[in-house]
Amino acid sequence: MKEKLGWSLKFAVSLIFPKAEKKSIARKSLFGAVLCIGLSLVPLVVVTSITNGMIDGMTERIVGLSSSHIQAYVAPNISKVQTAEAFIKYADEVCSVRGVTGVYPEVEISALAAGKNSRSGIELRALETDIFVRNKSFAKLFEICEGDLAAFVNPDENEKRPPVVIGKKMAEDLELHTGDTFRIITTRTAGDKIVPKLSSFRIVAVVSSGYQELDQFWVFIPLEAAYSSLSMESATYNVMIETTDAFSPELVAVQKRLADSFGRYANVYRWDQIHTAEFENFSSTKVMLVFVMMLIVLVATINISSAIVMLVMERQKEIAILKSIGATPRGITFAFLLAALSCGAGGLVLGLPVGIVLTIFSNQIVHGLERLVNWFSAIGGGGEVHLMDPAYYLSEIPVEIPVNQVILIAVAVLLLSVLVSYLPSRKAGREKPLDILRKN
């Protein structure tokens, strides 16, 4: 058995690297197939890695900054949310629930913000002043573009205008900067009429999460300021709850314990229940991109099949001689399959490192291309171009090499290389020596 395997391996090596120096179209086709597989793997690895990084980055921001791991929607008409102190105390009651690591009461109000020359609809988020310090996601994911969050964490008691933190996009649209007055218009009911209420705040910081679609309408104010300065008629009350791991199977059990703790005055939902539509969209986009890239790899591996067919035609005499001295059909077939497998492995050696390197330096490459495009645009009198527009993507690509998926890609390429080459390899093994010698 070992001897048969040994000569099959030697024959496979001679198919790829023949000792005799002679022109071989089949050999050139084999190396061409290796190059095609390598080139097709580069975009597959890059797209898979960047897509994973993007989706993980967006997921981290949606979960950490929007709803947290679990969110409880509290009834607005109960006494426990009528004052800031009562709401904070009510939220803190669930801190003792097993699995809970952080609790953050929040009041949300849809309102209108007035800038220097325009107005914009906003989503007011009233939170405790230490949210940017105590909440790990807020501390990590928000980038300070202007000002200082210290003025929000420790408000000046002598300042009549409460502090406010706004998003970068909103600051640009309303032409506002730190230190400016930020006017918020809410509504209240007076008899049969809806009366506007104007409140003034002082901008202490301008922040960005790097994902404009998520935070472009967010405005953060202290929880106490919402109760004292704004109309609360349209307010919604919720509690953001952190656990040890947002992706843990135990999250369902924690949700159940929280529902029992809050009782009938709150509805408790996990982050994947709140953001179902977004994550289904992410998953379908990722699957479609990988499917298209794998089709490219499949087309590249078919080149191996064509090269094997040509190789069989070129090596018919050798096949006849080997079978005449005792080579088995399976041994011949195995030798050609080994040659095909080697081509697939060669494509992996060529394509995977290049794809991984391009992924690691993807941010630098994108910024370099952006500068180049803007240079040509400036020459032509055009405007500034953003290849990674934060309105649709993250401003920075989170670099992440999906090791498991890269391994899966490698295995898939090797299997495809063998599968597409099986029929011509099997035909080579079934060739009859006498027929071959008569033809030649």
Side-chain angles (χ1 to χ4, degrees), residues 101-112:
T101 59
V103 174
Y104 311 97
E106 176 184 17
V107 175
E108 291 186 359
I109 304 173
S110 296
L112 186 68

Side-chain angles (χ1 to χ4, degrees), residues 203-406:
I203 300 175
V204 297
V206 177
V207 298
S208 173
S209 69
Y211 185 25
Q212 184 176 296
E213 185 179 349
L214 187 65
D215 64 4
Q216 62 180 325
F217 299 114
W218 285 347
V219 172
F220 300 97
I221 62 173
L223 189 63
E224 292 80 2
Y227 280 90
S228 61
S229 304
L230 303 175
S231 170
M232 304 291 284
E233 288 186 5
S234 60
T236 58
Y237 305 85
N238 62 71
V239 181
M240 296 188 297
I241 301 161
E242 277 187 340
T243 63
T244 53
D245 184 7
F247 300 92
S248 171
E250 290 295 318
L251 198 64
V252 176
V254 177
Q255 177 192 17
K256 187 177 184 304
R257 289 194 288 269
L258 285 167
D260 293 338
S261 179
F262 276 112
R264 59 191 180 92
Y265 297 113
N267 295 318
V268 182
Y269 300 97
R270 300 187 310 276
W271 65 269
D272 56 331
Q273 294 174 313
I274 299 171
H275 306 290
T276 302
E278 290 94 330
F279 292 105
E280 285 182 353
N281 184 35
F282 289 162
S283 299
S284 60
T285 301
K286 180 179 176 181
V287 169
M288 185 58 65
L289 284 171
V290 173
F291 176 71
V292 171
M293 292 296 109
M294 283 303 297
L295 286 179
I296 296 173
V297 175
L298 176 61
V299 172
T301 55
I302 290 175
N303 290 329
I304 296 179
S305 178
S306 302
I308 294 295
V309 171
M310 298 177 67
L311 196 62
V312 170
M313 294 174 65
E314 280 190 357
R315 298 302 182 94
Q316 281 187 334
K317 287 184 179 180
E318 293 180 34
I319 294 171
I321 294 170
L322 287 171
K323 295 195 77 172
S324 299
I325 61 176
T328 62
R330 288 185 179 180
I332 298 293
T333 300
F334 185 63
F336 280 97
L337 289 177
L338 282 177
L341 186 65
S342 300
C343 289
L348 291 174
V349 172
L350 183 65
L352 286 183
V354 176
I356 291 171
V357 170
L358 289 179
T359 300
I360 293 172
F361 294 99
S362 55
N363 283 302
Q364 291 86 337
I365 292 170
V366 169
H367 293 322
L369 288 173
E370 194 172 82
R371 285 193 292 269
L372 183 63
V373 169
N374 284 321
W375 183 73
F376 281 110
S377 179
I379 293 175
E384 188 177 2
V385 177
H386 296 283
L387 297 181
M388 295 299 296
D389 193 334
Y392 310 103
Y393 311 101
L394 296 180
S395 56
E396 288 288 324
I397 301 172
V399 177
E400 177 186 337
I401 305 298
V403 178
N404 292 337
Q405 292 187 22
V406 169

Side-chain angles (χ1 to χ4, degrees), residues 36-106:
C36 288
I37 291 173
L39 291 176
S40 66
L41 282 173
V42 172
L44 177 59
V45 173
V46 172
V47 168
T48 302
S49 302
I50 290 179
T51 302
N52 278 352
M54 279 287 186
I55 290 176
D56 289 348
M58 292 176 183
T59 301
E60 184 181 23
R61 284 159 175 77
I62 289 173
V63 174
L65 304 179
S66 180
S67 63
S68 198
H69 303 175
I70 295 174
Q71 193 164 29
Y73 294 90
V74 184
N77 54 353
I78 62 174
S79 60
K80 295 181 179 181
V81 298
Q82 298 308 310
T83 65
E85 294 77 11
F87 190 23
I88 293 172
K89 184 178 179 181
Y90 177 57
D92 287 342
E93 290 177 2
V94 300
C95 286
S96 59
V97 174
R98 183 161 54 88
V100 173
T101 59
V103 174
Y104 311 97
E106 176 184 17

